[in-house]
Each structure stands twice: as C-alpha cells, then as structure tokens.
Amino acid sequence: MGNNQTEKAFEEKRLAQTISLAEEQLKQAKEAADKKKSEIIEAKKDVRENTEHGITSLYTSDGFEALVELSQYINPVTDKIIDYEEEEHKILLLEKMIKSPYFARIDFKFDDEDEFEKIYIGRSSLRKNSYQEMYVYDWRSPIASVFYRFMTGEAFYDAPCGRVTGELNLKRQYEIKNGTLEYFFDSDVQIVDEFLRQLLSQNTTAKMKAIVETIQHEQDVVIRDMENDLLMVQGVAGSGKTSIALHRAAYLMYQGLQTKLSANNIMIISPNSIFEQYISNVLPELGEDNVISSVFEDILSELLNGRKIQSRNDFLENLIVNSKYKEISRNSIEFKTSSFFREILDQFLIDIPRQWIEFEDVYYEGKCVVSGQILKDKILGRPETPLGIKLEQLEDYILEQIFGTGKGRGHKEEKNLIKQEIQKFIKIDIVELYKILFSNEAYFYSLLQNSNPSQNIKNIWKYTKENLEADSLYYDDAIAIAYLYLKIYGTNKYKNIKQVVIDEAQDYYPLQYEIFNFLFSNAKFTILGDMKQTLAKKEDISFYEQIQKILNKKKSSLIMLDKSFRCTNEILNFSLKFIEQSSQIKSFNRNGDSPKVYIADNSEIFIDEIVKEIKLCQEKGFQSICLICKTEKNSTYLFNKIKHKLDIQLIKNGSVSDLQGVFILPVYMSKGLEFDTVLICDADSQNYHDEDDKNLLYVACTRALHKLSLFCENEVSPLI
C-alpha cells in the first residue's frame, strides 16, 4: 500500500475512531474517579465519627478490641484509595493516548486464517471493552515483537500458549502529534534506517526519552528475555544499553500482571545521582511507576548505619588525578575487592569469635552464673548461623540463666545492668573489628599464608592503617566492611526485590558483586556494561565470567551489542583511536562535522576559544553543551575562569541538576549520559598521556551526538 489519498483517508478515519474511543473511556474514568473520591471522603468521615472512642481506647485494657474496630473502618478506606489511584493511572494513560495513540501498524496473517489482521501498536493498550476488538496493542505485547524483529514475509512471535507463526505483509510507522496525523510511511530496511537517522539527528533533551518507536531487533531480544536468571549485555558506547535496561524494566512490569511483579520488586543500581535523575522520566513516559533506584555508596551508608564514608566520585578523583596517591589508591581497591581478599575476610570472620571477642564470666549476686568459655563454645557451635544472630541469642541465654524463663521474673533495673555488662562482647562494632586487620601486622600477614608478602601488599597495609587511624573511611574499606556486616548480620531489607538492573557494570569489583548477591539473593539480574569504558582499572570480556561465577544463577546468557547509534561517523571514528580492536564496533552511519582540536598558546586565548565555541554551538541551536574535564579539580578551575563570561553551571559530587544549557563536569560523572555537543577542555599532555587516559578520552568523546571539540593549552596530548 502506498501513501496515497485513499490510504491517508483510511488512516485519518482510523485515528479519529481511536481517539473517540479513548475520549469516551477517559470521560468514564474521570466519572469513576470522582465517584471513588467522594466515597473516600465519606468513608473517612465514618472513621472519625464512629471510632473516636475506639482510638482513645487503644492504650487501655480494651485496646485490642478498639484496634479491631478501627481496622474494620480503615481497611475499606485503604481499598477505596487503591481503586482511586488505579483510576487516576488509567486517566493518565488515556490522556497520553489521545495525543498519540499509536506509532506503528503491522498487517499479520495467522497460519490458520485467510485474511491479514491490522495490528496497531502504541505505548499502552486500548480495547473497545473487555470482550471486543483490541484497538491498540501495547508495545510489550507478544504480537508487537513482530514489528521489532521482522521485515515483510514469514514471521512469528512467542505467546504464553506457545509459538505463533504467520505472514507479515505490511509495516507502517506514524508520526502523530496532539491527535493529528502528521505523516506515515511503509517500512523497509532503507526507510526505517532513514527514519531513525532523522530522529538521531535531533537535539537531545535534559532527561532520557523512551525509544519504543525505534527499538532494534537485537535490543528487543534483550528487553523481552524471560528465560535467563542472569542476563549480561556487553554493549559498545551508544548502543542503547541504558534505554534497553529501562524498557526491559517496563516490559517486566507488563509481564508482572501475570507474575505479580510490580515497580517495588525492581531495583536499578545507578553509577551516580546525576545519572539517576537523567533516567527518571523514561518509565513514567511509558506509563509505569518509577522503580526503586539506588547508588552503591548509598547502600554502603545504610549498611554502615549512616557512617560518613568517602564517596565513589571522590575515590575516582584519587584514582584518575595525577598525584602520589594514584597508584596506591588503585592498588588498594583492586586488592581489597578481589576474591583473594574476600578469602582473607572469610578467614577473619572465622577467627573473630575465636580470638577477637573477649568472652567474660558473667556474675550475678556474687556468683558466676555462666563462664566465658561456655559462652564462647555456644558461639563456636552452629557454624551455619550468622555470628550476629548467635550473639543476640547469647543475651537471651544469659538472662535466662539468671532470671529463668518465667514471665515477669527478675527486676527490670537488674536486667538492664546485666545487659550493659555483657554488651562489650555481645555488641559488635564492625569498623573497629576491621581495624584489627590493619593494626595487627603479624596477624594480617598470617592470613595471607605467606611469611614474605610483596612490597605492594606492605604498602597497602601501611596506607590503610594510616587512613583508619585518622578515622577516615575510604570507599574501598567501606566495601570490605559492608561485606563483613552482611556475613555477620545478614539483611532482609531487599527480600522483595525480584529483578536487579546494574548499569555501567564494568566499573564494579568482584567484592561488590558478592554484596549484590547477599542483598538480592531472591532476584534475577540484568547486567549491562562496556569493557572499553572501564574507569581506572583493566578489564576484558572474561569479567562477565567472574560475575557469572559470583552470582551463580541457574541460567545465564551474554549478549553482545556492537552497533553504536549515538555518535556521527566522524565522532565515532575519531573516538576509536583511543581503544583497541576498534573494528568490532559498527556505526549506524550518520554523518556530521569532523572533531576539531584547538591548541592555545596561553590561558587567555584558551578561555576565549572555549567561549567562542560555546556561543557558536548556541547559535546552531544545540540544547545541551557539555564541557568535560578529566577531574573535578580541573572542572572547578575552568568554571571559575569562565563563569563571568556566560551562563554556565558546574556539576560535581552530589549535584542534582537538569542537563540542559551549558555545564561542566568531570569525565567519570559523564558515564551513561549523552549531549548535543561536547567540549573536552583539558586535552593536554599533562592530563592525558598513559593507557588509562585512553579510556577516559574514549568515554568523553563518545558522549557527543553531533559535535565534538577538544581544547588544550600549550602541548596537546600525545594520545590525540
């Protein structure tokens, strides 16, 4: 079918019918919501009028009966609120649908039928009523996968009842804005690529957008995977890993209608708070509640009871900046997060009750009620029970030996005195325990099972000892202490999490995956990374084997995404000089300006060139202009030099800001983000000169969609 007047008239009529149906259902939903709102108000009034006596009686002898009475009134209110919220969600979806009800259509003939059925696909579904025809299919429905995976010809999709086969003879895409059909076209490979090329040529937005209209075949495979307990995705820069992860979360929630999986059962581990904010609109845009999102250092802080620890960004600053701490910082985290150090920690855990807890005899009224040796023996038994739980049970055992098990026996004051006395070996301070490893040198080396440790380990031990004595809890030590905490106490906080998505997975270390395995023991995992974008360490494809071994899931798979959709050909080709095996990365083939390198003789010319480039980008209409520096120190220096010349914001550790306009940030905070234009503003030989710096330059360059420029003062980096 061509885009002729007959077809246009048909499509406009179909669109009008769809919008009319959505408007009718919207009217019904609003009426239902108003009715439910009135019912809630009335029900709350009943609670106030009929349970006043019951509420005041909650703390009397009749409190239980009052509580039962109260619940009889409150439970119906809660149910009505849930119903009202469902109607409000329905209203939101219908309002979005009226503006743009669908983006695609496929004509599909099932093998056992004679005629092709027109299947319209949108961001959410619309049916005439519970039993009549489906007007619009949700993009996550099984049949919609045909649109993403096949061109015309034989096709199939997997449904709950099994594989469904048939023939596809039309793929049509639409541009519908505010209820008006702008245009449509019938797809083949060449046209689809041109449509995507036009979309990619547009300016980016302050927050990541949904990509349901342009999901590629290989991306759809990842999004819809329900077979694997551990799905690992190795994707090159610009391959859409983060978008895939979020659309996968939306797909899992759609499937959750059958599997009882909701937004509070999914956790996304983000690299930093800026990234969290950047992705925050995608799921709501798809009509879903936002899932739980967390940054790893926030998890650390929770496990360590809010104790102040060094942020990941500050630690990365130490790993990247050219200073005397760079090598020792890197050696330290690589050692403390390795499987070798985990074995040391495991042996230390065995030794804690044997030699690092001083069990004392417990006296009551001048008599020894229970000896320290008996207490120690009780702790050393039942090795399958976590140490923390056994110590808590020890308190009950001691009180029982003194006061017996009868209700009310013993005086409260006496019990409190006994509890205070035994707290010194019942209560564990995890940080103080950890300090033992780096205060007792002979014991530490004995755990290495090597009487002659390397100079590197000696340096790490001394470096850590000095930090801990200064009461500084560095990021790598916090990871090790969190591992000890989980082994000693365990946690049930995340037991409801059934799916975990970890983005920028290559930047985490083995011990962090051990922690993920503890925290999310009931969950399936989606792991997304790119070994070429690893920060401050060396990784290759075997890293996924380590993850697989640690998480130890029944069924796992590694999927490779080798096509970049973000950068123009010129930017991607320039970026590839910084990594090895660049031939494995395919470009989507979008052309643009070649990157330029500006070398200034002095700081005044250097700043003027940057300001001139920013203004040129603004004149071209670019919405996000990002100045990337190697470190936060460099970013702050440049910001202070340039802030009086134009409107610009500095993004650093702890910043929460929309990525719009002109801004400066360090390279490690740009991970996972993209910008219309990127200016790398410290591309000199002092900042970028070794193998590690190549990865940083690759990350920085591949953030740019349309334009890339590099600036340096005096000598340009030899890597460029």
Side-chain angles (χ1 to χ4, degrees):
M1 294 183 196
N3 191 358
N4 54 38
Q5 290 301 314
T6 304
E7 281 298 303
K8 184 179 181 184
F10 172 83
E11 291 294 0
E12 286 178 338
K13 182 179 178 181
R14 179 55 162 75
L15 176 60
Q17 290 172 339
T18 305
I19 291 174
S20 177
L21 178 59
E23 287 175 337
E24 181 185 335
Q25 293 189 7
L26 176 61
K27 180 182 176 183
Q28 294 170 356
K30 286 182 174 179
E31 289 172 354
D34 288 342
K35 183 179 177 182
K36 286 179 170 62
K37 189 174 182 180
S38 298
E39 290 173 352
I40 292 168
I41 293 169
E42 200 61 36
K44 286 183 175 180
K45 184 179 176 182
D46 287 344
V47 172
R48 288 194 298 270
E49 291 179 356
N50 296 318
T51 62
E52 184 177 355
H53 174 71
I55 293 172
T56 58
S57 302
L58 290 179
Y59 301 101
T60 69
S61 59
D62 298 323
F64 178 75
E65 289 77 8
L67 189 60
V68 171
E69 180 192 355
L70 182 64
S71 67
Q72 290 173 347
Y73 285 93
I74 288 180
N75 288 343
V77 176
T78 304
D79 293 340
K80 290 179 189 300
I81 290 172
I82 292 171
D83 290 343
Y84 173 75
E85 288 175 345
E86 287 178 356
E87 287 296 338
E88 285 291 301
H89 182 66
K90 187 177 180 180
I91 288 169
L92 184 66
L93 292 181
L94 287 166
E95 287 175 339
K96 289 181 178 179
M97 178 161 279
I98 288 168
K99 292 180 180 178
S100 182
Y102 45 80
F103 57 84
R105 163 187 156 190
I106 57 173
D107 287 4
F108 186 78
K109 182 169 73 67
F110 298 88
D111 278 347
D112 57 352
E113 295 185 4
D114 297 326
E115 295 185 358
F116 284 88
E117 182 179 341
K118 297 177 180 64
I119 308 292
Y120 286 82
I121 301 168
R123 294 193 175 191
S124 57
S125 60
L126 179 71
R127 70 167 69 230
K128 197 162 187 179
N129 59 41
S130 300
Y131 305 101
Q132 293 186 357
E133 67 178 295
M134 183 76 81
Y135 258 58
V136 181
Y137 286 82
D138 192 297
W139 67 276
R140 296 163 290 184
S141 61
I143 197 169
S145 66
V146 173
F147 169 72
Y148 295 116
R149 299 193 186 188
F150 293 96
M151 298 309 292
T152 53
E154 291 184 359
F156 64 84
Y157 64 92
D158 292 317
C161 61
R163 178 157 291 184
V164 179
T165 57
E167 182 186 350
L168 172 67
N169 82 336
L170 176 73
K171 281 182 67 173
R172 180 168 287 179
Q173 288 185 251
Y174 306 88
E175 181 68 20
I176 301 171
K177 291 183 179 179
N178 295 319
T180 301
L181 178 61
E182 301 279 331
Y183 61 85
F184 66 91
F185 59 87
D186 295 344
S187 309
D188 60 26
V189 173
Q190 186 175 354
I191 293 175
V192 168
D193 280 1
E194 183 57 34
F195 176 66
L196 180 54
R197 192 171 292 110
Q198 290 296 324
L199 285 177
L200 294 172
S201 297
Q202 296 174 6
N203 287 335
T204 189
T205 54
K207 294 182 186 290
M208 179 178 280
K209 295 165 63 177
I211 60 164
V212 288
E213 297 89 345
T214 58
I215 292 170
Q216 303 295 291
H217 177 281
E218 60 274 19
Q219 296 173 333
D220 190 62
V221 170
V222 177
I223 289 168
R224 294 175 187 265
D225 182 278
M226 296 293 287
E227 299 295 319
N228 291 288
D229 304 308
L230 169 60
L231 184 64
M232 298 172 288
V233 180
Q234 161 60 30
V236 301
S239 58
K241 295 184 295 297
T242 302
S243 290
I244 291 169
L246 295 167
H247 286 71
R248 176 164 170 74
Y251 178 77
L252 292 170
M253 282 187 269
Y254 176 83
Q255 293 296 318
L257 295 174
Q258 288 79 39
T259 60
K260 296 182 179 178
L261 185 76
S262 58
N264 65 350
N265 300 130
I266 303 174
M267 167 75 88
I268 294 180
I269 307 295
S270 298
N272 54 56
S273 56
I274 286 288
F275 180 89
E276 271 190 302
Q277 185 181 1
Y278 178 63
I279 66 174
S280 63
N281 272 9
V282 175
L283 287 168
E285 196 177 324
L286 294 170
E288 295 291 354
D289 293 332
N290 243 330
V291 301
I292 305 165
S293 179
S294 187
V295 177
F296 185 77
E297 65 196 72
D298 291 338
I299 294 175
L300 288 182
S301 184
E302 287 176 8
L303 291 175
L304 302 182
N305 295 318
R307 183 175 178 131
K308 184 174 175 57
I309 62 174
Q310 181 189 39
S311 71
R312 178 175 181 267
N313 285 338
D314 285 345
F315 195 82
L316 285 172
E317 185 88 1
N318 284 346
L319 290 181
I320 290 170
V321 72
N322 295 320
S323 73
K324 61 180 181 180
Y325 297 108
K326 179 177 179 178
E327 184 177 357
I328 188 66
S329 296
R330 167 177 291 194
N331 292 341
S332 179
I333 194 167
E334 288 184 350
F335 173 69
K336 291 172 190 167
T337 57
S338 66
S339 57
F340 178 56
F341 191 65
R342 178 188 58 76
E343 292 172 3
I344 290 173
L345 293 175
D346 287 342
Q347 183 57 54
F348 178 52
L349 285 162
I350 294 171
D351 291 346
I352 286 171
R354 297 180 184 276
Q355 62 186 99
W356 300 113
I357 298 178
E358 296 183 9
F359 295 97
E360 298 178 2
D361 298 343
V362 178
Y363 288 84
Y364 181 68
E365 294 181 345
K367 294 181 181 179
C368 179
V369 180
V370 58
S371 71
Q373 186 59 49
I374 289 175
L375 296 176
K376 184 174 184 178
D377 291 343
K378 290 187 76 64
I379 292 298
L380 294 177
R382 298 179 296 144
E384 72 284 354
T385 305
L387 175 61
I389 293 174
K390 288 192 287 188
L391 288 170
E392 288 172 1
Q393 293 171 345
L394 204 61
E395 181 180 290
D396 294 334
Y397 170 75
I398 293 168
L399 293 175
E400 184 181 313
Q401 295 304 303
I402 297 173
F403 301 109
T405 57
K407 186 177 180 181
R409 289 193 183 181
H411 296 292
K412 184 177 179 180
E413 294 79 7
E414 291 177 308
K415 283 187 176 181
N416 288 337
L417 286 171
I418 295 294
K419 285 182 179 181
Q420 289 175 18
E421 189 176 333
I422 62 178
Q423 280 301 301
K424 51 190 165 186
F425 57 84
I426 297 295
K427 189 73 173 175
I428 289 180
D429 185 324
I430 305 286
V431 176
E432 291 303 315
L433 266 179
Y434 181 74
K435 286 180 179 179
I436 291 171
L437 286 172
F438 297 96
S439 59
N440 191 314
E441 193 169 6
Y443 173 68
F444 180 81
Y445 292 150
S446 73
L447 294 176
L448 298 177
Q449 297 181 341
N450 184 350
S451 57
N452 187 26
S454 66
Q455 187 60 48
N456 181 42
I457 289 180
K458 288 180 179 179
N459 291 340
I460 292 170
W461 188 89
K462 182 181 177 184
Y463 167 76
T464 307
K465 180 176 185 291
E466 291 171 354
N467 292 337
L468 292 172
E469 285 177 348
D471 209 27
S472 298
L473 197 52
Y474 278 30
Y475 183 69
D476 53 350
D477 291 312
I479 295 170
I481 294 168
Y483 176 80
L484 288 176
Y485 176 90
L486 289 170
K487 293 284 279 190
I488 290 173
Y489 287 108
T491 182
N492 288 318
K493 180 171 182 180
Y494 301 103
K495 64 181 179 181
N496 68 310
I497 299 297
K498 297 177 183 176
Q499 291 279 353
V500 177
V501 176
I502 302 177
D503 208 348
E504 300 296 339
Q506 73 282 350
D507 288 333
Y508 296 101
Y509 293 79
L511 195 64
Q512 289 172 291
Y513 283 99
E514 297 280 1
I515 290 172
F516 291 141
N517 201 27
F518 266 107
L519 294 174
F520 312 113
S521 56
N522 299 323
K524 296 181 179 181
F525 285 81
T526 302
I527 307 289
L528 307 106
D530 179 14
M531 295 306 116
K532 305 297 185 187
Q533 296 184 65
T534 307
L535 290 182
K537 60 173 180 160
K538 295 293 182 185
E539 293 293 358
D540 57 33
I541 204 71
S542 65
F543 183 68
Y544 293 108
E545 294 176 10
Q546 292 183 60
I547 295 174
Q548 188 175 359
K549 185 177 179 181
I550 292 169
L551 297 181
N552 193 28
K553 298 299 178 182
K554 287 182 181 178
K555 192 169 183 182
S556 63
S557 177
L558 173 62
I559 295 177
M560 314 288 282
L561 300 178
D562 59 0
K563 182 179 283 189
S564 176
F565 296 93
R566 179 184 296 140
C567 306
T568 61
N569 288 335
E570 291 78 7
I571 292 172
L572 183 62
N573 290 332
F574 181 85
S575 305
L576 294 181
K577 69 169 71 176
F578 304 118
I579 59 172
E580 297 175 1
Q581 300 175 330
S582 58
S583 60
Q584 294 180 5
I585 298 179
K586 301 173 185 176
S587 168
F588 179 67
N589 194 26
R590 181 170 64 90
N591 294 323
D593 296 334
S594 296
K596 293 183 179 179
V597 180
Y598 298 87
I599 304 172
D601 292 334
N602 58 60
S603 59
E604 186 176 346
I605 296 174
F606 173 70
I607 296 298
D608 286 345
E609 288 288 345
I610 292 174
V611 171
K612 181 180 175 182
E613 179 69 8
I614 292 170
K615 290 181 177 178
L616 180 64
C617 291
Q618 289 174 324
E619 289 171 7
K620 289 186 175 182
F622 291 130
Q623 300 298 308
S624 61
I625 302 168
C626 182
L627 282 62
I628 296 180
C629 296
K630 183 178 182 181
T631 64
E632 185 178 305
K633 181 181 178 182
N634 289 5
S635 300
T636 304
Y637 172 81
L638 179 61
F639 175 74
N640 289 329
K641 287 282 187 180
I642 211 169
K643 64 183 179 182
H644 304 297
K645 297 178 180 289
L646 43 78
D647 185 14
I648 189 168
Q649 58 179 321
L650 173 64
I651 296 176
K652 54 183 182 178
N653 188 31
S655 294
V656 178
S657 177
D658 278 343
L659 301 176
Q660 206 162 22
V662 186
F663 42 88
I664 302 176
L665 50 69
V667 63
Y668 50 80
M669 288 186 69
S670 72
K671 298 290 290 291
L673 307 178
E674 59 183 34
F675 316 103
D676 289 332
T677 183
V678 166
L679 285 66
I680 299 176
C681 295
D682 52 0
D684 55 72
S685 57
Q686 185 177 353
N687 281 299
Y688 297 97
H689 55 80
D690 62 21
E691 288 297 312
D692 294 337
D693 295 330
K694 284 185 176 181
N695 273 29
L696 294 175
L697 284 170
Y698 177 68
V699 169
C701 291
T702 53
R703 301 308 95 199
L705 275 81
H706 311 305
K707 188 172 176 58
L708 172 66
S709 304
L710 297 90
F711 296 83
C712 71
E713 189 177 342
N714 298 320
E715 187 179 358
V716 68
S717 165
L719 305 176
I720 293 173

